[in-house]
Amino acid sequence: MSVLRQTSTAGDRVARAGFIALTAFSVLLLVAPSLIVIAISFEPRAYIAFPPSGFSWRWYAAVFQNQQLIDSVWVSLRISVIVMLICLAFGVPAAFASVRGRFVGKAGLNAFLLSPQMMPGMVIGIASLFFGAYIAFRASDLMLVLSLSVFCLPFVVRIVMARLSGLDPLLDEASANLGAGKLTTFRRVTLPQIAPAAFAAAAFTFIEAFDNVTVSLFTSDVRARPLPVELYYLVQFDSSPIIAAISALEIGLSFLVMLVIAKAVGLDRLAR
């Protein structure tokens, strides 16, 4: 019996060590490319090289001196904020209906709302382009906003649905028993409880809309290109570390957004 116990303990240790090693390797694969890009952005020479030969802020200064890049950043920020607000306005009620609603076709509605997440962004971008051409609706900021909203809406729906599924429906019944209407119950009972999830969904939607290139490439206005599209064209004709500097700034923006979520909401609250 003791031999079996020792064998089991040894097996558990090996399994635990293997799991830790696999996790560390996976994290390394995810983090290493970003660290390499950040390191390249400080290369003083006019071409990409790793490891860098020195340390220089030259390419970060070049980013802020490039008016075309600055304009594309403002386009991306404007589009991302609009997409975020649209997705919240439609996603939160849709998630509430999908979780708490009782109606025919509920499963079909859930599949319809989440279906864009199952398709590559390029498919949505090309479909939007062809549909726009069919109805004489050219690529523009409006087409870009609508296409990105379709692509990002499932992020809001899925995150808010996960939060709503963990809430006790008896709270709504208690509110109704106290005389509150459905709208008052949602505003004063349900909404405060799903606010952390809605805040996180808004942040993820903003990041995805800001960084998305597969949809933006086919639907953006050629006269006001967002930053991902501008980078797509820039990388074809420029091999300087300015591309790495822009990418490093985007990585920093994503990290800042996640830090704000962690401080303002607390990532642990999203799982409750």
Side-chain angles (χ1 to χ4, degrees):
M1 196 71 178
S2 61
V3 175
L4 291 176
R5 189 180 297 109
Q6 291 176 359
T7 304
S8 176
T9 303
D12 291 342
R13 290 176 180 173
V14 171
R16 189 180 300 109
F19 178 76
I20 293 174
L22 180 61
T23 303
F25 181 69
S26 301
V27 171
L28 180 64
L29 288 179
L30 292 172
V31 175
S34 298
L35 295 179
I36 291 174
V37 168
I38 293 173
I40 292 175
S41 67
F42 296 107
E43 169 63 53
R45 294 173 296 186
Y47 57 88
I48 294 175
F50 184 82
S53 61
F55 183 89
S56 174
W57 294 98
R58 168 186 178 185
W59 302 109
Y60 288 94
V63 170
F64 292 102
Q65 292 171 1
N66 190 318
Q67 189 59 44
Q68 191 169 357
L69 286 175
I70 298 299
D71 292 341
S72 67
V73 169
W74 285 115
V75 171
S76 290
L77 287 174
R78 183 178 73 250
I79 296 297
S80 300
V81 170
I82 296 174
V83 170
M84 179 186 69
L85 295 176
I86 291 176
C87 289
L88 282 178
F90 287 93
V92 173
F96 188 83
S98 298
V99 174
R100 298 289 178 86
R102 298 172 185 246
F103 53 88
V104 178
K106 179 178 175 180
L109 175 64
N110 293 341
F112 175 75
L113 291 172
L114 300 178
S115 59
Q117 201 172 46
M118 305 174 188
M119 292 185 291
M122 185 172 293
V123 173
I124 295 178
I126 294 175
S128 300
L129 179 64
F130 284 0
F131 179 74
Y134 181 76
I135 62 173
F137 182 32
R138 65 178 180 84
S140 60
D141 285 354
L142 180 58
M143 179 182 284
L144 178 59
V145 166
L146 295 177
S147 302
L148 285 176
S149 298
V150 170
F151 183 74
C152 295
L153 183 63
F155 290 99
V156 176
V157 174
R158 185 176 291 274
I159 293 174
V160 177
M161 280 181 63
R163 178 61 176 161
L164 279 169
S165 299
L167 297 182
D168 189 352
L170 293 178
L171 295 175
D172 291 355
E173 295 181 12
S175 177
N177 290 335
L178 292 173
K182 292 184 177 180
L183 185 59
T184 302
T185 298
F186 177 78
R187 181 171 56 87
R188 303 190 65 177
V189 178
T190 306
L191 190 59
Q193 296 181 87
I194 65 173
F199 186 83
F204 288 130
T205 301
F206 176 85
I207 293 173
E208 180 59 38
F210 188 88
D211 290 337
N212 186 281
V213 64
T214 52
V215 175
S216 303
L217 187 63
F218 298 97
T219 57
S220 61
D221 191 341
V222 295
R223 295 170 297 181
R225 296 188 298 216
L227 183 59
V229 178
E230 191 66 37
L231 284 178
Y232 175 81
Y233 288 109
L234 182 63
V235 76
Q236 299 180 60
F237 307 105
D238 193 338
S239 60
S240 68
I242 191 173
I243 300 169
I246 302 170
S247 301
L249 290 173
E250 290 196 67
I251 293 171
L253 175 64
S254 301
F255 180 79
L256 179 62
V257 171
M258 293 302 299
L259 185 62
V260 169
I261 294 176
K263 291 293 185 181
V265 177
L267 295 178
D268 57 324
R269 294 184 60 188
L270 300 180
R272 296 177 188 173

